[in-house]
Amino acid sequence: MEQFEPRIMSELEGQAKAFFRVEMLLEAALASLRVKQAESLLFGKMTVLHYRMFGGEGDAVYRAAAAVELMILGLDIIDDLQDEDHGGMPWHRLSKDIALNLAIGFLTLSQETLLYSDFPLERVHESAVFLNRQMLVAINGQTLDLLNAARDEDEYLKMVEQKSAALLVCACMIGVILATGQADERVAEYAREVGIAAQIKNDYRDLLDWGNKNDFLRRKKTLPVLFLLSTAEEQDERWIVDYFAGRLQPEEVLHREEEFCAVVQRTGTALYTSVRMRSHYYRFLNIIEGMEMDAKWRDLMIEAAR
Amino acid sequence: MLKEMIRKIVTEPEFMARIQNGQLQLAGMSAFEQRAFLDVMQERKPDDSLRKSAYWA
């Protein structure tokens, strides 16, 4: 695909310089955008890819892709402030009140950027409505995540569908709407499957990483944690169940990381998580392979989701 | 169904061989789950795929 990264980055920096007038805010904004660039602007890439996939031409899509990235960045900052996660990020060098302002600024700038993109007004309107709706879905999902309210896997997957997958659906669909004037339910379905698969993968990684945020230590109910809890008791690993129920304190388990990782393997948690993740990936493949489109775009999307 | 299969794999060593010999039906699983399950069973390296840096992280 074309060199999308510098084009999106140029839009992002241009918008930040135009609207963040306070020097400290602008510096923090530019530093945050550089973090996004280092992460390869994946959501914006999905907007450009789907715009091209559905026949869109011209350069106006880069501004729309920037709008998507600004929304993701605003939500990422809020998520990190809530979870006290990713301590090295530029927004953590700000006081919380300023960091929150930066996040609100990015979310508002996302709207501004999309509303003033160079597309027919009705398509801009449709895409802005879609972006807002998906953001609201994600905020509901994020709230469920913060409440740690999932009682079983079905509830967990519903939360993930809202919190994470909705944003990937948004990134893809903005490209589709701007190219064709309407949403495509098949794209929503496959993007949802990729989003869920990616979240399951992240949850597994977060389970084994005791150096950073760890879902087990934080007693967070994720798919691998729920499976682990259901099998740990059967296999006489009471300490895991006791810690999760609050009957043991962190200092009583912190030295057991190695043992914990062995239990994750022994109970089949790794196998189970892997199968669940791949099932969603295969659902995605099944949908996209059934769609009529230029093989070039399909291959790019499959490669991106791998 | 999937959970039961995984539990048997980790607790009954002979169960894995029966899967690999095609002696077990995977009834009760969706086609996607079956494909994913057979994939993972063939590789028996779930960590490798799960630990790869997540594209959408």
Side-chain angles (χ1 to χ4, degrees):
Chain A
M1 202 163 72
E2 67 236 49
Q3 284 296 309
F4 69 94
E5 211 178 290
R7 306 292 297 271
I8 300 174
M9 197 58 195
S10 166
E11 293 285 349
L12 286 166
E13 287 179 339
Q15 292 297 91
K17 284 173 185 167
F19 291 97
F20 290 131
R21 306 279 168 78
V22 176
E23 197 180 330
M24 175 209 207
L25 196 59
L26 175 60
E27 280 176 15
L30 293 175
S32 304
L33 291 173
R34 282 193 288 275
V35 167
K36 278 283 132 194
Q37 186 180 25
E39 291 171 359
S40 304
L41 305 170
L42 297 166
F43 286 85
K45 179 183 178 182
M46 283 299 103
T47 304
V48 177
L49 172 59
H50 283 79
Y51 181 72
R52 301 281 183 241
M53 188 189 279
F54 281 78
E57 294 177 349
D59 292 344
V61 69
Y62 297 114
R63 181 162 290 193
V68 170
E69 283 292 343
L70 288 164
M71 174 196 66
I72 297 294
L73 180 52
L75 293 175
D76 277 352
I77 293 173
I78 292 170
D79 187 42
D80 282 353
L81 293 175
Q82 289 166 336
D83 291 351
E84 297 180 342
D85 196 14
H86 299 118
M89 291 295 156
W91 41 91
H92 283 305
R93 293 197 286 272
L94 306 168
S95 60
K96 267 195 178 176
D97 47 357
I98 301 292
L100 190 56
N101 244 13
L102 180 66
I104 296 167
F106 278 133
L107 293 178
T108 311
L109 191 55
S110 164
Q111 297 287 318
E112 166 72 27
T113 304
L114 187 56
L115 289 172
Y116 283 90
S117 59
D118 191 16
F119 288 98
L121 270 183
E122 65 273 20
R123 292 191 185 187
V124 171
H125 175 259
E126 274 299 307
S127 59
V129 167
F130 198 89
L131 183 130
N132 275 339
R133 297 261 166 95
Q134 294 305 102
M135 193 156 52
L136 288 165
V137 169
I139 287 167
N140 277 285
Q142 173 74 355
T143 305
L144 290 174
D145 192 28
L146 289 168
L147 291 170
N148 199 20
R151 284 170 298 190
D152 53 36
E153 282 184 17
D154 285 344
E155 289 189 1
Y156 161 85
L157 288 171
K158 277 180 194 149
M159 181 274 291
V160 167
E161 197 176 317
Q162 295 175 63
K163 182 189 87 159
S164 312
L167 298 175
L168 186 55
V169 172
C170 179
C172 299
M173 202 65 79
I174 296 296
V176 176
I177 292 170
L178 290 174
T180 67
Q182 56 191 8
D184 186 308
E185 188 49 36
R186 296 164 304 173
V187 171
E189 277 179 40
Y190 76 56
R192 207 175 290 133
E193 299 296 344
V194 174
I196 293 171
Q199 185 61 49
I200 293 174
K201 187 184 273 199
N202 284 354
D203 286 344
Y204 182 75
R205 202 179 43 184
D206 290 346
L207 182 67
L208 297 185
D209 179 9
W210 282 37
N212 201 350
K213 67 166 189 174
N214 180 276
D215 289 338
F216 172 68
L217 293 175
R218 296 193 310 163
R219 300 187 176 102
K220 207 162 161 222
K221 293 177 205 155
T222 63
L223 184 133
V225 167
L226 288 168
F227 182 85
L228 177 66
L229 288 173
S230 70
T231 53
E233 192 156 17
E234 293 165 16
Q235 296 194 20
D236 213 15
E237 300 289 353
R238 285 288 318 171
W239 68 277
I240 287 177
V241 181
D242 284 343
Y243 175 75
F244 213 81
R247 291 187 289 270
L248 290 174
Q249 298 308 305
E251 55 273 18
E252 295 175 274
V253 300
L254 275 170
H255 63 285
R256 303 179 84 161
E257 178 180 356
E258 208 172 307
E259 189 184 344
F260 178 83
C261 292
V263 174
V264 167
Q265 297 298 328
R266 198 165 58 241
T267 53
T269 302
L271 287 173
Y272 180 73
T273 309
S274 196
V275 174
R276 293 301 304 265
M277 183 196 71
R278 286 182 193 216
S279 301
H280 287 282
Y281 177 74
Y282 286 136
R283 283 194 187 97
F284 148 73
L285 269 189
N286 182 59
I287 298 167
I288 198 166
E289 284 173 350
M291 290 170 68
E292 278 189 26
M293 67 171 77
D294 188 325
K296 177 174 79 168
W297 303 121
R298 182 186 295 122
D299 291 348
L300 278 169
M301 183 60 206
I302 291 172
E303 179 59 33
R306 192 164 280 144
Chain B
M1 173 66 181
L2 175 60
K3 278 184 183 168
E4 287 313 309
M5 298 283 259
I6 299 285
R7 281 181 182 135
K8 283 193 172 177
I9 285 167
V10 295
T11 54
E12 299 173 24
E14 70 280 6
F15 194 77
M16 185 68 199
R18 288 170 65 196
I19 291 171
Q20 285 169 335
N21 294 335
Q23 292 172 332
L24 279 177
Q25 295 288 318
L26 300 179
M29 286 191 207
S30 71
F32 306 113
E33 271 185 344
Q34 287 188 24
R35 187 175 171 189
F37 180 77
L38 293 172
D39 252 18
V40 172
M41 289 309 115
Q42 273 180 348
E43 292 175 20
R44 279 309 299 262
K45 283 184 183 172
D47 318 21
D48 289 349
S49 103
L50 286 164
R51 278 173 185 268
K52 263 198 291 185
S53 64
Y55 204 90
W56 301 103

